[in-house]
Each structure stands twice: as C-alpha cells, then as structure tokens.
Amino acid sequence: MINEEIQQEIERLRQPDILNLEQVKRFAVWLDERRKLRKPGRAVGESGLGKTTASLFYTYQNRVAKTPNQNPTVPVLYVELTGSSCSPSLFFKTIIETLKFKAKGGNENQLRERSWYLIKQCKVELLIIDEAHRLQFKTLPDVRDLFDKVKIVPVLVGTSSRLDTLISKDEQVAGRFASYFSFEKLLGANFRKTVKIWEQQILRLPETSNLADNQEIITLLQEKTDGQIRLLDQILRDAAVKALESGVNKIDKSVLENIEGDYSLVAS
C-alpha cells in the first residue's frame, strides 16, 4: 500500500461503526416489544458493554421522517443526559433541543408543557433516556408521567448499580420500570466470535490476521478488556493503525502486545 492509501485506511479506522451484533439485535426486539405492549422499561449493564451503541442503532433504524411545512415525525427519540445531576428543567430542555427546537427561557412548568407539546407534535412513540442514572431523584416523577400524560414509552438506559439504586427510591417508578434488558459481558465463544467479526467487518486489513484462531491473542484480549466491547474495539483499532504505520498488513502478537500494554482497567 502506498502512503496515501495507508492514511486513508487509518482515517477509516478512526471513524465510529455500529455493527448489528447479536446483543444489539436482541435489544432491538426488546424495544419493539416495549412499543407494542406500551410498557416502559430499563436497559442496564456495566460501562463499556455497548448500551449507547445499541440505543443509537435502534434510533437510526427508526429514523426521523420529514415532510415539507410540517413538524418531523420522530418515532424513536434518543436523548443523552450530561452532567452529574439532571434536574427536571434540564431534562425538558434536553428533550426540546434534541428535537431540534429552541428551549428558550421559562420556568420548569413552562419547559415541561413545551416538551410535552413537541413530543405530541412530533408523534414520538418511544423515548430512550441514556445515562439515566444521572437523573435527580426529583426528576423521576416527570419521567414516570411521560407515559401517563403524553402517552409515550420511556426506556431508561444506564449503569446497573447506579440506575437501579436510583429508581429503587421511588416504589411507583420502580414498579413502572420493572421490565429490564441486561447487557452482558463478552465471554467464551461469544468473545471469540466478536473478535472474528471485528477483524472481518471493522479492521479489514490487507492480510488476514486470524486473531480469533490464536488462543494466546484471545487470552491476552480477554485479560485486557474484561469482556467490555468498547475496550475491545479500542485495542483492535489501535493495533490495526499501529500495524499499518509500521508497514505491516496484519495484526500479530507482537503488534498487539505493543498496543495492549497502554490499556489497563482500574480495579474496582
């Protein structure tokens, strides 16, 4: 490969990809069931297991429909909460701005009414609330009321321990979001299968690395990622870039060892 081609490949490897993996497919089926049954729920799992990626993939599959001179139809609205503590006002502002309208000023009640109005106008059926463990306790009734007052299905997505701890403080919220989907770590044959998929569909190097068939490499990757798909993605992409920069067309153990040492999970 010439230098320009190598740089193009490196740039490609630095762009995010969303693969329709088995867990992503199962999550989509579960979300479809929530919409059909008109029942809220929560999706939980440790950090790095693909909750956000799966949520974005489902949202993309149910993309916005635009009609001239009318509000867009948004069957699935995905919002990501930021900051350490999401108040009711911030929650409603996030909804309004994600729908690409200006939040403007106003007190909490005005923002609530405006967000409810826009949700109805945009015909939102399902609201995915990512990083839901960031919600303040006093925001929970507003999340619960979305189903009662606006007739949409809210789904909370967040880190297992923090989200479950939060909603357990309100028995009405806990009961409403009792249905859950659990994101699991990559283990055993599933880990090996995912490495193979990543090599074929994400890395796509000039030569086959056969990473999934090398037990030493699989063991090394398992130890460094602890089954987290996000870390696996980062390590394999970095290794692919390192290989190309070094004039190598595939990943071998020496390239991976040179990369994986830069990653270390903090002990809990």
Side-chain angles (χ1 to χ4, degrees):
M1 297 176 69
I2 63 175
N3 186 59
E4 184 177 345
E5 291 175 331
I6 291 173
Q7 291 306 313
Q8 289 176 348
E9 283 298 289
I10 290 174
E11 183 60 30
R12 177 185 64 78
L13 286 164
R14 287 173 175 161
Q15 300 302 314
D17 292 275
I18 299 178
L19 296 183
N20 198 9
L21 301 176
E22 189 60 36
Q23 185 158 245
V24 176
K25 293 177 182 177
R26 289 193 292 107
F27 183 52
V29 170
W30 181 79
L31 289 174
D32 283 340
E33 289 176 349
R34 296 300 94 208
R35 290 170 69 182
K36 181 175 67 176
L37 296 173
R38 306 292 301 159
K39 297 292 185 181
R42 71 189 195 279
V44 296
E46 297 178 18
S47 296
L49 299 186
K51 300 184 297 298
T52 294
T53 299
S55 298
L56 288 171
F57 188 82
Y58 186 80
T59 304
Y60 176 77
Q61 287 182 312
N62 296 270
R63 60 181 68 90
V64 177
K66 296 182 179 179
T67 304
N69 303 318
Q70 294 185 24
N71 288 320
T73 298
V74 187
V76 177
L77 179 62
Y78 167 88
V79 299
E80 181 178 8
L81 305 184
T82 59
S84 59
S85 182
C86 183
S87 66
S89 293
L90 179 56
F91 176 60
F92 294 125
K93 282 183 180 179
T94 301
I95 291 175
I96 294 168
E97 291 170 356
T98 304
L99 285 170
K100 302 190 183 306
F101 291 89
K102 292 183 179 180
K104 299 181 179 179
N107 58 34
E108 182 180 306
N109 286 333
Q110 290 170 324
L111 289 168
R112 179 184 293 106
E113 292 295 330
R114 181 164 172 76
S115 69
W116 285 4
Y117 172 79
L118 291 173
I119 285 171
K120 292 176 181 177
Q121 290 297 304
C122 293
K123 300 177 181 178
V124 178
E125 299 174 25
L126 181 75
L127 173 64
I128 300 175
I129 306 170
D130 199 2
E131 300 290 327
H133 50 264
R134 300 175 187 267
L135 290 165
Q136 289 183 0
F137 176 71
K138 66 179 181 180
T139 312
L140 291 179
D142 280 306
V143 175
R144 183 190 66 220
D145 287 347
L146 284 170
F147 180 76
D148 297 324
K149 306 295 185 181
V150 200
K151 306 305 178 184
I152 66 170
V153 179
V155 170
L156 304 177
V157 179
T159 305
S160 308
S161 57
R162 286 185 285 174
L163 180 56
D164 288 351
T165 298
L166 174 67
I167 67 173
S168 68
K169 297 177 182 179
D170 185 320
E171 61 181 18
Q172 290 187 6
V173 173
R176 185 63 57 85
F177 291 90
S179 175
Y180 75 98
F181 182 93
S182 179
F183 281 82
E184 306 293 342
K185 290 183 178 181
L186 297 172
L187 298 172
N190 193 27
F191 186 93
R192 192 183 296 271
K193 179 181 177 182
T194 303
V195 170
K196 186 173 184 178
I197 291 172
W198 238 251
E199 180 178 344
Q200 294 175 343
Q201 299 186 32
I202 298 292
L203 305 185
R204 305 202 307 271
L205 291 172
E207 293 182 31
T208 303
S209 303
N210 293 318
L211 300 173
D213 297 327
N214 188 316
Q215 186 56 49
E216 283 187 302
I217 287 178
I218 289 297
T219 300
L220 185 152
L221 288 172
Q222 287 174 326
E223 291 174 351
K224 279 297 178 180
T225 64
D226 191 33
Q228 291 188 18
I229 195 167
R230 181 168 60 198
L231 267 179
L232 179 65
D233 179 53
Q234 291 173 354
I235 291 173
L236 291 180
R237 285 175 188 267
D238 282 1
V241 169
K242 183 69 174 179
L244 292 172
E245 289 177 336
S246 303
V248 181
N249 289 330
K250 66 178 183 178
I251 298 172
D252 58 21
K253 189 165 180 270
S254 63
V255 171
L256 196 55
E257 285 178 331
N258 194 22
I259 288 296
E260 58 85 23
D262 295 334
Y263 292 86
S264 180
L265 290 171
V266 177
S268 57

